[in-house]
Amino acid sequence: MKILDRYILKSFVITFATVFVILFFIFILQTVWLFIAELAGKDLDFFLIVKFLLFAMPRIIPLVLPLSVLLASIMTFGSFAENYEFAAMKSSGISLQRAMRSLMVFIGLLAVASFFFANNVIPYAEYQFINFRADIGKKQPAMAITEGQFSDVGSFNIKVDKKSGENGNQLTGVTIHKKSGTGQGTTTVIRSKTGELMTSEESNILKLILKDGDYYEDLTPKRYEDRKKLPFAKSEFKRYIINMDLGKLNKMDESEEKVTTNNMLNVNELRYTLDSLNKDYDKNIISFADNIYQRTGILSNANHIVVKNKVDTASAPAVKTELPKDLLGQFDNTDKLALLKIASGNVESTNFSIDGSVHEMQDSIKNINNHELAFYDKFVIAYACILMFFIGAPLGAIIRKGGVGLPIVFAVLIFITFHFINTFGKKIAQSDGLPPFAGAWMSSFILTPFAVMLTYRATNDIGLFQLDNLLEPVGNLFRKIFKKKEAAQTQQNVNQA
């Protein structure tokens, strides 16, 4: 490797590493902010918090890596141009493509590494992250209950005066408000002096054992006039057990109604899963179509259309009789009404069955599309590194500004555009508005011509914008207007003379 290649590569790698660490730290802070409700006030030790963040870190790489490549490219090549290092290279016969050669190899290796990272590390980390969030409630179920305030756990609001024990499982001064299933607020209040939380890693049920307490419940009489008396029931207990679903206890992100597995699979697993999903979807479509077809009764009534010749039933072929044009005219009014009612009932039943299956089919399509998007995303992140380099390097050479000022502005604008188009394409592809391939690659398809244009303009020293081409037509327009005014003024003076 020549001295120039080592110098360019060293400058880029140092800038890239610095930018990557800074951006990674910023996105980690964002992750902490998003999951602050899971970490704050839950009695988690430092090791669990670090383990939680370690499992969450790999999902940040697809955002940080392309942005770091883009910003480092702009800063490095902008600094070269600003310090006239590119001018010295060009005077020595070294073109921009020659200066980028060593970095092209580095970016190519980085793209390959990013693909293997997205294909192997991210699925494993995603699997561990989801399971860690689910298991943390089993290992420390008391983390969902905060001392001195009501904590919402499923259909219960629980308040404890004090938690003790190794994992905070021993409770003192327990007050529970049970939500009404009819939406009438809290109708049941349970109080006990002590309590204990018990769970097992093999079970998804949390057992709350209350001791020495009382149970209060409002009653709703059937007669309306008795409701004004506000009747209630009260009882005491020595031991009372409440079973709660750990799925609700561990539901730390309310927007996550359902955990999908598409991000936990690598390329080979996604191919196998997509093949199974497509086969199941085709089978469901065929089964549903056959069911609807059989409901119409066409198969059972088709035999009445085929009538064999009575002369020689053994040798004569089957002859199909033609249906009359006015089929209902063959029946009287009473039979017509009965047939129309049957047909109307069949149509309504078929429509109801179709409406009931539409959502199921849409969910199946959305699940298939999500898996296909996850499949293409592993290749998009590798191509994004290459794309951002061929946008950032020529752009830095054109604007001729290094440092962290103008390069950050350009990098943020370009990356926001890339990320917005990428998110927009995925959302449309999820709802089957676009093929998943087009949705996943939409941002790359749109920005690739921009990268080619920047590389061409930087290579030929054209600049980002040619103001002469924009200002010359405007100047010609104003000159024509002034010439017409001068000619009109001259003609007016001649007429007056």
Side-chain angles (χ1 to χ4, degrees):
M1 183 181 291
K2 295 185 178 181
I3 297 176
L4 179 62
D5 293 329
R6 288 201 300 268
Y7 172 71
I8 295 175
L9 182 60
K10 179 181 178 181
S11 301
F12 179 84
V13 170
I14 292 175
T15 306
F16 171 76
T18 304
V19 171
F20 182 83
V21 171
I22 294 174
L23 292 177
F24 194 79
F25 179 73
I26 292 173
F27 278 87
I28 284 294
L29 292 180
Q30 182 192 21
T31 302
V32 173
W33 178 258
L34 290 175
F35 296 103
I36 191 66
E38 301 185 25
L39 304 176
K42 302 299 183 180
D43 294 337
L44 299 177
D45 57 24
F46 180 75
F47 175 75
L48 288 177
I49 295 176
V50 172
K51 190 176 180 181
F52 181 90
L53 293 177
L54 285 175
F55 288 146
M57 284 179 183
R59 59 167 58 186
I60 302 173
I61 299 298
L63 291 174
V64 177
L65 191 59
L67 181 57
S68 301
V69 172
L70 176 63
L71 186 55
S73 302
I74 297 176
M75 293 175 63
T76 302
F77 284 82
S79 178
F80 288 161
E82 185 179 18
N83 297 325
Y84 299 100
E85 292 177 278
F86 269 141
M89 295 178 194
K90 291 178 181 178
S91 65
S92 302
I94 300 175
S95 63
L96 179 63
Q97 290 91 336
R98 174 62 185 85
M100 295 168 58
R101 183 183 300 175
S102 59
L103 293 183
M104 289 180 187
V105 176
F106 175 77
I107 294 299
L109 295 176
L110 184 64
V112 174
S114 65
F115 169 77
F116 283 103
F117 186 87
N119 188 45
N120 298 290
V121 179
I122 292 180
Y124 175 78
E126 191 73 15
Y127 174 80
Q128 295 294 337
F129 180 71
I130 297 298
N131 284 277
F132 180 75
R133 294 177 66 193
D135 292 341
I136 199 171
K138 294 181 180 180
K139 295 177 181 178
Q140 292 190 355
M143 73 172 196
I145 302 174
T146 306
E147 290 184 358
Q149 66 183 42
F150 280 97
S151 302
D152 192 4
V153 182
S155 60
F156 300 93
N157 279 326
I158 303 177
K159 173 180 174 293
V160 297
D161 295 336
K162 185 179 180 181
K163 295 190 297 183
S164 58
E166 183 179 356
N167 295 321
N169 291 355
Q170 303 297 327
L171 310 178
T172 304
V174 182
T175 303
I176 300 176
H177 290 175
K178 186 178 180 181
K179 302 174 186 176
S180 174
T182 59
Q184 297 179 356
T186 301
T187 59
T188 303
V189 179
I190 305 172
R191 292 175 58 88
S192 68
K193 294 181 180 180
T194 59
E196 182 180 2
L197 289 170
M198 296 182 63
T199 185
S200 173
E201 295 186 5
E202 291 78 17
S203 175
N204 203 40
I205 300 298
L206 173 68
K207 183 182 294 186
L208 175 58
I209 303 175
L210 303 177
K211 300 177 182 178
D212 298 328
D214 53 72
Y215 184 98
Y216 172 90
E217 182 179 5
D218 290 330
L219 301 178
T220 304
K222 295 182 178 180
R223 298 176 58 184
Y224 181 76
E225 54 271 15
D226 293 338
R227 297 182 183 178
K228 297 181 181 179
K229 299 179 182 179
L230 302 177
F232 65 91
K234 184 178 180 181
S235 60
E236 296 181 354
F237 58 84
K238 291 292 184 180
R239 180 184 173 92
Y240 186 78
I241 300 175
I242 298 177
N243 293 321
M244 292 180 289
D245 186 7
L246 273 174
K248 296 180 179 179
L249 179 67
N250 297 326
K251 192 176 181 181
M252 304 181 184
D253 187 359
E254 295 296 332
S255 63
E256 260 184 85
E257 297 179 358
K258 192 185 329 186
V259 176
T260 57
T261 60
N262 50 350
N263 293 325
M264 305 180 191
L265 305 178
N266 57 30
V267 170
N268 293 329
E269 292 170 344
L270 283 170
R271 285 177 179 171
Y272 179 81
T273 305
L274 281 170
D275 183 65
S276 301
L277 291 176
N278 285 316
K279 287 182 179 178
D280 292 341
Y281 178 75
D282 293 338
K283 288 181 181 179
N284 291 334
I285 291 292
I286 294 173
S287 176
F288 178 75
D290 290 341
N291 186 22
I292 294 298
Y293 187 63
Q294 291 174 2
R295 280 189 176 188
T296 59
I298 295 177
L299 293 177
S300 60
N301 294 330
N303 295 328
H304 297 288
I305 301 175
V306 180
V307 179
K308 293 186 177 181
N309 194 341
K310 296 181 180 180
V311 178
D312 188 2
T313 57
S315 60
V319 179
K320 294 183 179 180
T321 59
E322 295 184 358
L323 293 174
K325 295 181 179 179
D326 186 11
L327 187 60
L328 288 177
Q330 307 297 318
F331 304 93
D332 55 21
N333 292 334
T334 303
D335 293 336
K336 285 182 182 179
L337 182 61
L339 288 173
L340 291 175
K341 286 183 177 179
I342 293 173
S344 176
N346 287 336
V347 170
E348 291 180 0
S349 175
T350 301
N351 288 334
F352 180 78
S353 179
I354 292 174
D355 293 338
S357 301
V358 164
H359 297 291
E360 182 180 353
M361 298 300 177
Q362 288 177 347
D363 290 341
S364 299
I365 293 174
K366 186 175 181 180
N367 189 26
I368 293 174
N369 291 338
N370 285 331
H371 281 76
E372 290 192 18
L373 288 173
F375 176 82
Y376 294 122
D377 276 344
K378 302 184 187 304
F379 299 92
V380 170
I381 181 178
Y383 182 75
C385 296
I386 300 174
L387 177 64
M388 291 302 165
F389 173 73
F390 281 98
I391 291 177
L395 185 60
I398 291 173
I399 63 175
R400 299 180 180 179
K401 284 289 183 181
V404 294
L406 191 61
I408 289 182
V409 175
F410 278 101
V412 169
L413 290 177
I414 294 171
F415 185 76
I416 287 177
T417 303
F418 175 83
H419 187 64
F420 174 78
I421 297 174
N422 190 34
T423 304
F424 179 74
K426 288 181 179 180
K427 290 295 182 183
I428 297 179
Q430 284 178 352
S431 58
D432 210 34
L434 276 177
F437 176 81
W441 287 92
M442 180 183 289
S443 56
S444 301
F445 290 156
I446 292 176
L447 292 182
T448 296
F450 182 62
V452 174
M453 182 198 72
L454 287 177
T455 304
Y456 173 78
R457 298 179 78 89
T459 303
N460 295 278
D461 293 328
I462 298 177
L464 189 59
F465 298 106
Q466 286 185 328
L467 295 179
D468 293 340
N469 294 336
L470 298 176
L471 297 178
E472 186 175 356
V474 179
N476 292 334
L477 177 63
F478 279 106
R479 279 193 291 270
K480 290 180 180 180
I481 294 174
F482 289 140
K483 285 181 180 180
K484 289 182 179 180
K485 287 184 177 180
E486 290 177 358
Q489 186 66 31
T490 303
Q491 184 65 35
Q492 184 178 0
N493 293 334
V494 171
N495 293 335
Q496 290 177 359

